[in-house]
Structures are given as structure tokens and as C-alpha cells.
Amino acid sequence: MKYLLTLIGLLLVSFSFAHHFTGTYQDQQYGITVAIQHGTDGRMQGTVSANGVQMQLQGYGDPQGAQGVL
């Protein structure tokens, strides 16, 4: 679980220079999928799936980056 949270954090940081985060991102080596919907108001929601477990993702994104909770 610690590895998953670290990977998600790195994923969000790696997209911090983008303004729009909508999409599905996959790490096939570890079987992790992150699906994000980014609204025009900046709110983000989605899911993180790994090893048959799916968790909800909620946050906020703007041109300076993104942050949220899992």
C-alpha cells in the first residue's frame, strides 16, 4: 500500500505542469490504473485500481499542480 501511495503521488507530481488531467493512466508492470476526470471548475475525481482493489480519488488541479485524497 505504501508503494501504491508513493506511485500515485509521483504520478500527480509528474502531471503538475499540465492544466488538464482528464485521462486514464496505467502502469502495466505493477497493474495500477488511475482514471481521472478534471472539471472546468478545477475539481478532480476518479479511481485508482490495483490488485482487484478500487479506491476513490478526489482533488483539485490548476496550472500550478494537483492535490487530492485517496
Side-chain angles (χ1 to χ4, degrees), residues 39-52:
T40 56
D41 61 355
R43 284 190 256 171
M44 295 172 27
Q45 61 183 352
T47 59
V48 177
S49 303
N51 298 325

Side-chain angles (χ1 to χ4, degrees), residues 17-36:
F17 297 106
H19 178 65
H20 197 66
F21 297 95
T22 296
T24 301
Y25 309 96
Q26 295 181 330
D27 182 325
Q28 293 180 356
Q29 181 178 359
Y30 295 102
I32 298 170
T33 301
V34 179
I36 300 173

